Amino acid sequence: MIKYISLFMLLTIQLSFSQSKITGNITTQNQENIPFASVLIENTAKGTSADENGHYELNNLAPGDYTIRVSFVGYKSVVKTVTINANEHIRLPFQLIDDSQLGEVEIFGSRFKNPDKIEALTRLPLAPYEQIQSISIISDKLIQQQGNLTISDATKNVPGVYTFATYGNKRESMSSRGFRGIPILKNGVRVHSDFRGTGILTDMQGVDNIQVLKGAASITQGVATDLGSPGGVINLVTKTPKYVFGGNAGIRLGSYGQARSTFDVYGPLVESQKVAFRVNTALERSDSYRSMVSSDRFYINPSLEWKPDDNTTFTLEMDYFEDSRTPDLGTVNNGENDENKIYDLPHDRFLGFENDKSLTSNTTYAIRFKRKLSDKLSLNGAFYKSNLDLDDKGASMGNVVKDTSGEPIYNQRNRGYSFSTRKDNNNVLQFDLIGDKIETGGISHTFQVGFDYRTTDYSTSSMSISNVDIIDVFTSNPHGLPDNLNFPEATVLGAKSKAIGFVAQDVITFNPYLKTFIGARYSKTQTITATETTQSDAFNPLGGVIITPFKNLNVFASYTNSSYPRTATRLDVNGNELGNERFDQLETGIKTNWLNNRLRFNLTFFKINNKDINLPVYDENWVATGYYQKGGNDERKGIEVELTGRLLDNLEVITGYSYIDAQYKEHTSYVYGSAPLNTPKHTFNAYANYSFKEKLDGLSVGAGIYFTGERPINDWSSGAVTHEGIVPNQKPFDVDAYTQVNAQVAYRINSHWNFRFLLNNVFNEIGYNAYRTRYINQTDPRNFAGVLSYSF
């Protein structure tokens, strides 16, 4: 008996030590080990973690079927099912794909996931295709293909967006849908709070994507405090960390002494891969086609991301840009204000002074927080800050000189000189509770409820002399600034503003064919100047519907409005404040995507009216009475057509067309039916990039055509307004239309080296961008560049 009991115990012990197990290694697609990944047997509490070499073991498994899930921060989870028998040892390797490869990047952005930080602009977790408003995305891939270095270079790929003015090549002011100088944001925060939309400068090295929301954005971005706000906003999104080590370095050499170096590196900071970093830098110097004009710039964009667990992310970003350049007055119009006689100033002739200099320094900071509360709910928070410093010293172009009989000598001008500085600080604190596809009965809700608190604090200082000397644009002129200039006392201005907004949006999905959008925002704004403090509030609704008659086809229609509080304190004849102005917008169209999200087509019709303007009142002699009245009708309407994507595996395209009919239909100051300054009726863009296969594998060629239609150089005053270059009752001339053609050739030498050749303005066609008659700047002539980059 003792013998049999002993044998039974030995057998039991042997079986207990010979139960089944699963082991394996966890690697990346490049066969690199992933340490400390999580390994879980689904529907059980059993699991383990990989060791520092990416190896894992699941021991003491009973025979049966198991579903194994492997996950790690920054990678897509992988699930495998396996059947194991008694005393069996199964080797089960896992290969994880990093997040940067989950959504293939097309020229319009990521194919299967939303563009980075799109929620900072829309406040909803929806792709641009699903939004009720017109949104265009420009990806980093497209920016690299075309070698874009400026905002205007990149946004020329968006229909209806065009350069308003460059202000002597010191700023980039962009317009949309007939509104001047739309706001430019960086990571969701205003960079420049000048209500006139004079624009900013920045560098494309750190840009992950550019988001262009056209039309009224008052629901998500607050009341329309800028002249251009009803036309839309441009949001520059900077690059953020990745959890896989990599990066690239490059050098660019081009026309007019351009030399530019760039560097981008990213990866995890700790073995657990819960913390990652990224650093982007660019250093550039360049001359110009115009003598005595040059520029230098430095850019750095460091960022840090921490994921303490699978549901929480903290991101810290800084973006610093410094630019020093020679402002260029451009040329003059040698004729009356109703005659287009723009003088093609020779490139060896500079109208300014040798010490003219424009300095720009801009720093933006962002702290973002995302917490997944459940499968359906998440909380997003962010604090954004921007500091802008401008210091401009330069020549100014004065009035035309007249001879003894009073006749103008158009080629002779009074030349002045001015100093100006601006300090601009902007902050945004924003929190949103997001619900994604929460069902109530048979209805699904995707909603956002949140608030934002925005502050602005700016100060300016300026002084100028209108007549330093007289120059002749037909001849060379002195460039030395006279000594002992007698400047008047500086003009100092400034203001502070605070605004709080409460926002709620709900996208209600009734069935696969019908969705409705409902939203509203309440905003309260306070503005403090040296002489007064004003307050205003506004309620702005949004309503719309999306009908999906077929898969991949959305038909949409929406209404929204925006409030303009800047003139709210103007008084009527009885001394009463007139209150906010209001812009009403109707938008309708179709949005489609085809070929597994590779190709997208959008058609949009818009109509924006301002019938609630606080207009000045004049007497019969066009003398201002000092009071105002409600009325008017400024209208912008038109269509936008956009086709972007990949027609073939190796053929990418972007095409767009816009028609803008902008009119002062009823106004006390401007001629009825006249168009606002710098508004082209037609713009067109087309770009294609073809990649060769097989024998020419690695070679790609691209080309783009960009058309900007003719546009009035100034507003057409009906008798009262005499602002810069305006002659009452005289129709301003139209700046000529122009077309530019750019071309690119790239060759991928191997997996690390890439060379790209850029030829811009192939046919050397010169166009002009003007701000009234103060600045008339030509587009760059034909130029080229070579870019060599190394990826690691």
Side-chain angles (χ1 to χ4, degrees), residues 219-500:
I219 292 293
T220 60
Q221 294 301 310
V223 294
T225 55
D226 297 324
L227 293 176
S229 291
V233 296
I234 295 174
N235 187 33
L236 308 175
V237 176
T238 53
K239 295 175 180 176
T240 50
K242 295 182 179 182
Y243 289 84
V244 177
F245 182 77
N248 63 78
I251 186 168
R252 173 171 174 158
L253 301 175
S255 299
Y256 315 118
Q258 183 189 53
R260 174 182 172 87
S261 61
T262 59
F263 182 72
D264 178 16
V265 61
Y266 49 81
L269 272 179
V270 294
E271 287 185 350
S272 64
Q273 296 207 0
K274 290 182 179 295
V275 181
F277 78 99
R278 187 165 193 167
V279 178
N280 258 291
T281 64
L283 183 65
E284 179 181 346
R285 65 91 48 214
S286 180
D287 294 320
S288 169
Y289 61 86
R290 189 164 310 284
S291 297
M292 301 183 65
V293 175
S294 64
S295 66
D296 298 278
R297 63 170 50 186
F298 170 70
Y299 173 81
I300 187 168
N301 166 227
S303 56
L304 188 71
E305 188 166 280
W306 175 42
K307 293 187 176 182
D309 56 53
D310 290 343
N311 297 320
T312 310
T313 304
F314 292 92
T315 307
L316 286 78
E317 304 171 57
M318 188 195 82
D319 189 270
Y320 176 77
F321 173 76
E322 186 176 283
D323 183 275
S324 172
R325 64 181 52 227
T326 310
D328 180 8
L329 286 172
T331 186
V332 298
N333 184 56
N334 282 334
E336 293 291 337
N337 290 319
D338 59 349
E339 301 176 292
N340 185 345
K341 292 187 177 181
I342 293 177
Y343 175 51
D344 291 327
L345 188 72
H347 293 170
D348 62 355
R349 201 164 300 156
F350 175 59
L351 301 184
F353 296 105
E354 60 186 358
N355 66 334
D356 291 357
K357 191 65 66 178
S358 177
L359 305 175
T360 299
S361 176
N362 177 241
T363 309
T364 59
Y365 305 90
I367 302 174
R368 296 188 290 130
F369 163 79
K370 290 186 177 183
R371 173 68 182 178
K372 189 175 181 181
L373 304 176
S374 69
D375 290 341
K376 301 292 186 179
L377 283 175
S378 61
L379 178 66
N380 296 346
F383 175 72
Y384 302 102
K385 181 178 180 61
S386 174
N387 298 324
L388 175 68
D389 287 302
L390 303 177
D391 188 333
D392 293 339
K393 300 178 179 67
S396 60
M397 196 60 61
N399 295 326
V400 175
V401 174
K402 296 183 178 181
D403 62 18
T404 55
S405 63
E407 291 298 315
I409 308 173
Y410 292 112
N411 57 293
Q412 294 186 13
R413 305 291 174 115
N414 288 294
R415 183 168 59 171
Y417 192 75
S418 63
F419 295 86
S420 67
T421 63
R422 183 182 182 97
K423 293 185 179 297
D424 209 330
N425 300 311
N426 298 275
N427 303 295
V428 176
L429 177 66
Q430 179 176 307
F431 278 93
D432 292 305
L433 177 66
I434 306 294
D436 192 8
K437 298 181 176 65
I438 294 180
E439 295 186 359
T440 57
I443 299 176
S444 173
H445 298 264
T446 295
F447 66 85
Q448 170 265 333
V449 179
F451 77 92
D452 53 73
Y453 179 67
R454 302 166 187 265
T455 66
T456 293
D457 183 356
Y458 81 88
S459 62
T460 65
S461 174
S462 62
M463 52 185 177
S464 62
I465 298 176
S466 58
N467 295 305
V468 172
D469 57 9
I470 295 175
I471 61 172
D472 188 338
V473 298
F474 290 162
T475 63
S476 297
N477 295 280
H479 300 294
L481 193 64
D483 295 329
N484 302 319
L485 291 176
N486 185 21
F487 283 96
E489 186 176 347
T491 300
V492 178
L493 298 172
K496 298 180 180 180
S497 68
K498 302 176 182 179
I500 189 168

Side-chain angles (χ1 to χ4, degrees), residues 24-25 33-34 57 133 144 149 169 173 190 299 372 403 422 438 489 598 606 667 680 767:
N25 275 40
N33 294 330
I34 300 178
E57 290 188 8
Q133 292 175 289
Q144 288 184 350
L149 296 179
N169 288 331
S173 180
R190 289 283 300 276
Y299 173 81
K372 189 175 181 181
D403 62 18
R422 183 182 182 97
I438 294 180
E489 186 176 347
R598 291 193 327 198
F606 65 90
H667 210 286

Side-chain angles (χ1 to χ4, degrees), residues 751-767:
S751 60
H752 296 290
W753 291 97
N754 185 282
F755 177 75
R756 185 174 299 275
F757 178 77
L758 311 167
L759 181 61
N760 296 322
N761 198 2
V762 175
F763 299 104
N764 203 33
E765 182 171 349
I766 300 302

Side-chain angles (χ1 to χ4, degrees), residues 543-565:
V545 60
I546 290 182
I547 299 173
T548 308
F550 309 105
K551 185 179 179 181
N552 302 325
L553 173 64
N554 287 344
V555 181
F556 72 96
S558 68
Y559 164 81
T560 188
N561 67 40
S562 56
S563 301
Y564 185 69

Side-chain angles (χ1 to χ4, degrees), residues 4 58 84 103 148 292 344 346 401 417 443 448 479 523 542 582 634 743 774:
Y4 288 116
L58 293 169
I84 193 167
N148 297 327
M292 301 183 65
D344 291 327
V401 174
Y417 192 75
I443 299 176
Q448 170 265 333
H479 300 294
S523 305
L542 165 68
R582 193 185 76 194
D634 291 353
R774 182 190 293 188

